[in-house]
Amino acid sequence: MRTTYAVGVDVGGTRIAAGLVERKGRMLKEVRALTPAEAGPFAIVDAIIDLITEVTAGVHPGEIAGIGVGLPAQIDFLKQTVEFCTNLPLAGVDMRSLIMSRVRHPVAIDNDGNCAGIGESRFGAAKGVRDFVMITLGTGVGGALFFNGEPYRGSRGLAAEIGHMVVRLDGPPCPCGGKGHIESYMGRPAIAAAGRAAAAEYRGRAIREQAGGNDERVTAEDVINAALKGDEIARQILLDAGEVLGEALVGIVNLLNPRLIVVGGGVGESCPFLVERAAGVIDRNALAGRRDVRVAQAELGNDAGALGAAALAFDEHDSREGLHR
Ligand SMILES: [Zn+2]
């Protein structure tokens, strides 16, 4: 049977979103809740179930292809298990079975970066592009690699952790426990730390002002807002992050020769100048013949993850039913 809707759930470190999505990517209804991160995995599953129930209210179960769930975690896609999760207590938790035992629909889980990539690939900035790289700049830094229209998952489904590519092994600590990873330089905590250091001095007064005059309370958003209002110190913090991102992307471009790099996530979307700086570094440093790669901002905003998760649920449904997309 060709079903009409899928539910896409995007689980973030701070918020969970669930959307009722049509095959062509139209989101008919979307609901959000805070992630009960401190309350443990069962509370997170409860919150997911509540949102699914709310978003599917009034829809005939037979019309729903399934449920896709994007998690901010490393997922063994073949086994459909959570291997590792930095920001939520989900490591080793069988999220798929836990969710499936509470709903009447098939469930597929994937990494949130892959879901955002699938969303942009089907409905957004990468529509029609078969070989591209997705990078999401937010609290964490995630990503996805698309070869020939499909996400590349690696031998165990753990590929494309772009945020944990090493920039300098003796660099600042990364929330994953490593050192000098891309996320160490441009995850929200890293931007906030750079902002706090600047705000403690006179030169960072505009950033301090954003944080209500208290340099210890500076967040990444305070740095971004100060930069968007024209403060050069804040802007330089973000341009430095763009420089590091560009350096890492030169390696990716030389290695994979993508046609397009899509930069999304809350930080990526609010800082076009950071993305432009990274694009400039690629333009000057990538091997000749590869420099025509386009660097674009994501188009789907906060909805990319949920739309991609819904597309995953449609795909799984269609392959079960022997339908081709
Ligand atoms: Zn890391």
Side-chain angles (χ1 to χ4, degrees), residues 279-304:
V281 174
I282 295 170
D283 196 38
R284 286 189 301 280
N285 298 285
L287 287 172
R290 291 158 177 79
R291 292 177 194 164
D292 58 353
V293 60
R294 200 157 58 82
V295 181
Q297 284 189 285
E299 289 179 2
L300 302 178
N302 277 336
D303 292 340

mmCIF file of all heavy atoms in Angstrom, residues 279-304:
data_model
loop_
_atom_site.group_PDB
_atom_site.id
_atom_site.type_symbol
_atom_site.label_atom_id
_atom_site.label_comp_id
_atom_site.label_asym_id
_atom_site.label_seq_id
_atom_site.Cartn_x
_atom_site.Cartn_y
_atom_site.Cartn_z
ATOM 1 N N ALA A 279 34.356 28.964 2.706
ATOM 2 C CA ALA A 279 34.344 28.809 1.247
ATOM 3 C C ALA A 279 35.584 29.450 0.635
ATOM 4 O O ALA A 279 36.190 28.910 -0.300
ATOM 5 C CB ALA A 279 33.074 29.428 0.667
ATOM 6 N N GLY A 280 35.989 30.600 1.193
ATOM 7 C CA GLY A 280 37.183 31.291 0.687
ATOM 8 C C GLY A 280 38.439 30.452 0.892
ATOM 9 O O GLY A 280 39.314 30.401 0.025
ATOM 10 N N VAL A 281 38.528 29.790 2.044
ATOM 11 C CA VAL A 281 39.696 28.946 2.326
ATOM 12 C C VAL A 281 39.756 27.786 1.325
ATOM 13 O O VAL A 281 40.827 27.456 0.803
ATOM 14 C CB VAL A 281 39.638 28.410 3.790
ATOM 15 C CG1 VAL A 281 40.778 27.424 4.044
ATOM 16 C CG2 VAL A 281 39.711 29.557 4.782
ATOM 17 N N ILE A 282 38.606 27.201 1.032
ATOM 18 C CA ILE A 282 38.566 26.110 0.048
ATOM 19 C C ILE A 282 39.000 26.641 -1.319
ATOM 20 O O ILE A 282 39.823 26.036 -2.013
ATOM 21 C CB ILE A 282 37.136 25.528 -0.060
ATOM 22 C CG1 ILE A 282 36.740 24.869 1.251
ATOM 23 C CG2 ILE A 282 37.048 24.517 -1.207
ATOM 24 C CD1 ILE A 282 35.279 24.491 1.331
ATOM 25 N N ASP A 283 38.466 27.788 -1.683
ATOM 26 C CA ASP A 283 38.735 28.370 -2.992
ATOM 27 C C ASP A 283 40.238 28.610 -3.188
ATOM 28 O O ASP A 283 40.776 28.408 -4.269
ATOM 29 C CB ASP A 283 37.963 29.694 -3.081
ATOM 30 C CG ASP A 283 37.864 30.170 -4.506
ATOM 31 O OD1 ASP A 283 37.684 29.306 -5.389
ATOM 32 O OD2 ASP A 283 38.000 31.382 -4.734
ATOM 33 N N ARG A 284 40.913 29.026 -2.143
ATOM 34 C CA ARG A 284 42.347 29.324 -2.267
ATOM 35 C C ARG A 284 43.225 28.092 -2.128
ATOM 36 O O ARG A 284 44.351 28.088 -2.617
ATOM 37 C CB ARG A 284 42.763 30.340 -1.182
ATOM 38 C CG ARG A 284 42.290 31.762 -1.447
ATOM 39 C CD ARG A 284 42.918 32.751 -0.480
ATOM 40 N NE ARG A 284 42.610 32.443 0.916
ATOM 41 C CZ ARG A 284 41.460 32.769 1.505
ATOM 42 N NH1 ARG A 284 40.517 33.412 0.832
ATOM 43 N NH2 ARG A 284 41.234 32.464 2.765
ATOM 44 N N ASN A 285 42.728 27.048 -1.450
ATOM 45 C CA ASN A 285 43.639 25.964 -1.067
ATOM 46 C C ASN A 285 43.339 24.577 -1.619
ATOM 47 O O ASN A 285 44.203 23.696 -1.548
ATOM 48 C CB ASN A 285 43.707 25.868 0.467
ATOM 49 C CG ASN A 285 44.266 27.141 1.073
ATOM 50 O OD1 ASN A 285 45.464 27.396 1.013
ATOM 51 N ND2 ASN A 285 43.397 27.962 1.627
ATOM 52 N N ALA A 286 42.137 24.352 -2.119
ATOM 53 C CA ALA A 286 41.837 23.012 -2.633
ATOM 54 C C ALA A 286 42.620 22.788 -3.926
ATOM 55 O O ALA A 286 43.013 23.738 -4.606
ATOM 56 C CB ALA A 286 40.341 22.865 -2.879
ATOM 57 N N LEU A 287 42.849 21.531 -4.238
ATOM 58 C CA LEU A 287 43.565 21.201 -5.470
ATOM 59 C C LEU A 287 42.792 21.732 -6.673
ATOM 60 O O LEU A 287 41.563 21.729 -6.682
ATOM 61 C CB LEU A 287 43.688 19.674 -5.608
ATOM 62 C CG LEU A 287 44.680 18.979 -4.671
ATOM 63 C CD1 LEU A 287 44.538 17.466 -4.811
ATOM 64 C CD2 LEU A 287 46.107 19.404 -4.983
ATOM 65 N N ALA A 288 43.549 22.171 -7.669
ATOM 66 C CA ALA A 288 42.916 22.673 -8.888
ATOM 67 C C ALA A 288 41.962 21.607 -9.432
ATOM 68 O O ALA A 288 42.222 20.422 -9.315
ATOM 69 C CB ALA A 288 43.985 23.002 -9.919
ATOM 70 N N GLY A 289 40.885 22.051 -10.027
ATOM 71 C CA GLY A 289 39.925 21.096 -10.579
ATOM 72 C C GLY A 289 38.843 20.749 -9.576
ATOM 73 O O GLY A 289 37.812 20.212 -9.924
ATOM 74 N N ARG A 290 39.107 21.036 -8.302
ATOM 75 C CA ARG A 290 38.102 20.735 -7.277
ATOM 76 C C ARG A 290 37.518 22.016 -6.690
ATOM 77 O O ARG A 290 36.637 21.981 -5.854
ATOM 78 C CB ARG A 290 38.734 19.914 -6.149
ATOM 79 C CG ARG A 290 39.115 18.511 -6.575
ATOM 80 C CD ARG A 290 40.175 17.973 -5.629
ATOM 81 N NE ARG A 290 40.535 16.600 -5.939
ATOM 82 C CZ ARG A 290 41.361 16.260 -6.921
ATOM 83 N NH1 ARG A 290 41.892 17.182 -7.695
ATOM 84 N NH2 ARG A 290 41.650 14.995 -7.133
ATOM 85 N N ARG A 291 38.063 23.148 -7.108
ATOM 86 C CA ARG A 291 37.675 24.397 -6.465
ATOM 87 C C ARG A 291 36.298 24.899 -6.892
ATOM 88 O O ARG A 291 35.807 25.873 -6.345
ATOM 89 C CB ARG A 291 38.719 25.481 -6.766
ATOM 90 C CG ARG A 291 40.034 25.170 -6.091
ATOM 91 C CD ARG A 291 41.084 26.182 -6.432
ATOM 92 N NE ARG A 291 42.396 25.676 -6.056
ATOM 93 C CZ ARG A 291 43.538 26.169 -6.480
ATOM 94 N NH1 ARG A 291 43.544 27.197 -7.301
ATOM 95 N NH2 ARG A 291 44.673 25.643 -6.101
ATOM 96 N N ASP A 292 35.708 24.249 -7.867
ATOM 97 C CA ASP A 292 34.389 24.704 -8.297
ATOM 98 C C ASP A 292 33.283 24.163 -7.396
ATOM 99 O O ASP A 292 32.106 24.323 -7.680
ATOM 100 C CB ASP A 292 34.130 24.314 -9.764
ATOM 101 C CG ASP A 292 34.241 22.824 -9.977
ATOM 102 O OD1 ASP A 292 34.655 22.117 -9.024
ATOM 103 O OD2 ASP A 292 33.902 22.349 -11.074
ATOM 104 N N VAL A 293 33.669 23.526 -6.299
ATOM 105 C CA VAL A 293 32.657 23.048 -5.356
ATOM 106 C C VAL A 293 31.878 24.253 -4.825
ATOM 107 O O VAL A 293 32.452 25.296 -4.516
ATOM 108 C CB VAL A 293 33.318 22.244 -4.204
ATOM 109 C CG1 VAL A 293 34.303 23.106 -3.426
ATOM 110 C CG2 VAL A 293 32.266 21.704 -3.255
ATOM 111 N N ARG A 294 30.560 24.114 -4.788
ATOM 112 C CA ARG A 294 29.729 25.199 -4.281
ATOM 113 C C ARG A 294 29.535 25.019 -2.781
ATOM 114 O O ARG A 294 29.334 23.889 -2.326
ATOM 115 C CB ARG A 294 28.386 25.140 -5.012
ATOM 116 C CG ARG A 294 27.569 26.401 -4.985
ATOM 117 C CD ARG A 294 26.594 26.407 -6.165
ATOM 118 N NE ARG A 294 25.708 25.252 -6.173
ATOM 119 C CZ ARG A 294 24.596 25.165 -5.440
ATOM 120 N NH1 ARG A 294 24.226 26.153 -4.669
ATOM 121 N NH2 ARG A 294 23.837 24.088 -5.520
ATOM 122 N N VAL A 295 29.628 26.083 -2.024
ATOM 123 C CA VAL A 295 29.349 26.011 -0.589
ATOM 124 C C VAL A 295 28.065 26.804 -0.365
ATOM 125 O O VAL A 295 27.996 27.985 -0.704
ATOM 126 C CB VAL A 295 30.504 26.595 0.248
ATOM 127 C CG1 VAL A 295 30.189 26.494 1.735
ATOM 128 C CG2 VAL A 295 31.815 25.875 -0.063
ATOM 129 N N ALA A 296 27.036 26.154 0.146
ATOM 130 C CA ALA A 296 25.738 26.821 0.277
ATOM 131 C C ALA A 296 25.186 26.634 1.677
ATOM 132 O O ALA A 296 25.514 25.662 2.363
ATOM 133 C CB ALA A 296 24.757 26.234 -0.737
ATOM 134 N N GLN A 297 24.353 27.566 2.081
ATOM 135 C CA GLN A 297 23.690 27.386 3.367
ATOM 136 C C GLN A 297 22.487 26.462 3.204
ATOM 137 O O GLN A 297 21.854 26.429 2.148
ATOM 138 C CB GLN A 297 23.272 28.736 3.916
ATOM 139 C CG GLN A 297 24.489 29.463 4.463
ATOM 140 C CD GLN A 297 24.108 30.697 5.218
ATOM 141 O OE1 GLN A 297 23.749 31.688 4.618
ATOM 142 N NE2 GLN A 297 24.191 30.637 6.526
ATOM 143 N N ALA A 298 22.209 25.714 4.259
ATOM 144 C CA ALA A 298 21.060 24.809 4.250
ATOM 145 C C ALA A 298 19.777 25.615 4.065
ATOM 146 O O ALA A 298 19.743 26.812 4.350
ATOM 147 C CB ALA A 298 21.025 24.030 5.556
ATOM 148 N N GLU A 299 18.735 24.961 3.565
ATOM 149 C CA GLU A 299 17.485 25.677 3.280
ATOM 150 C C GLU A 299 16.340 25.320 4.215
ATOM 151 O O GLU A 299 15.361 26.037 4.280
ATOM 152 C CB GLU A 299 17.036 25.371 1.828
ATOM 153 C CG GLU A 299 17.921 26.038 0.800
ATOM 154 C CD GLU A 299 17.496 25.706 -0.629
ATOM 155 O OE1 GLU A 299 16.486 24.979 -0.802
ATOM 156 O OE2 GLU A 299 18.188 26.160 -1.547
ATOM 157 N N LEU A 300 16.461 24.194 4.898
ATOM 158 C CA LEU A 300 15.292 23.703 5.633
ATOM 159 C C LEU A 300 15.263 24.128 7.100
ATOM 160 O O LEU A 300 14.318 23.819 7.813
ATOM 161 C CB LEU A 300 15.216 22.180 5.546
ATOM 162 C CG LEU A 300 15.135 21.608 4.127
ATOM 163 C CD1 LEU A 300 15.111 20.086 4.178
ATOM 164 C CD2 LEU A 300 13.896 22.113 3.395
ATOM 165 N N GLY A 301 16.317 24.806 7.532
ATOM 166 C CA GLY A 301 16.355 25.290 8.903
ATOM 167 C C GLY A 301 16.145 24.179 9.914
ATOM 168 O O GLY A 301 16.629 23.052 9.732
ATOM 169 N N ASN A 302 15.373 24.493 10.945
ATOM 170 C CA ASN A 302 15.113 23.536 12.023
ATOM 171 C C ASN A 302 14.390 22.283 11.572
ATOM 172 O O ASN A 302 14.352 21.290 12.281
ATOM 173 C CB ASN A 302 14.215 24.208 13.077
ATOM 174 C CG ASN A 302 15.032 25.051 14.021
ATOM 175 O OD1 ASN A 302 16.225 24.805 14.176
ATOM 176 N ND2 ASN A 302 14.400 26.033 14.622
ATOM 177 N N ASP A 303 13.765 22.343 10.386
ATOM 178 C CA ASP A 303 12.945 21.212 9.954
ATOM 179 C C ASP A 303 13.740 20.115 9.258
ATOM 180 O O ASP A 303 13.210 19.029 9.005
ATOM 181 C CB ASP A 303 11.847 21.688 8.988
ATOM 182 C CG ASP A 303 10.825 22.564 9.693
ATOM 183 O OD1 ASP A 303 10.751 22.488 10.933
ATOM 184 O OD2 ASP A 303 10.104 23.302 8.998
ATOM 185 N N ALA A 304 15.018 20.384 8.911
ATOM 186 C CA ALA A 304 15.785 19.427 8.099
ATOM 187 C C ALA A 304 15.799 18.034 8.726
ATOM 188 O O ALA A 304 15.572 17.035 8.033
ATOM 189 C CB ALA A 304 17.214 19.936 7.900
#
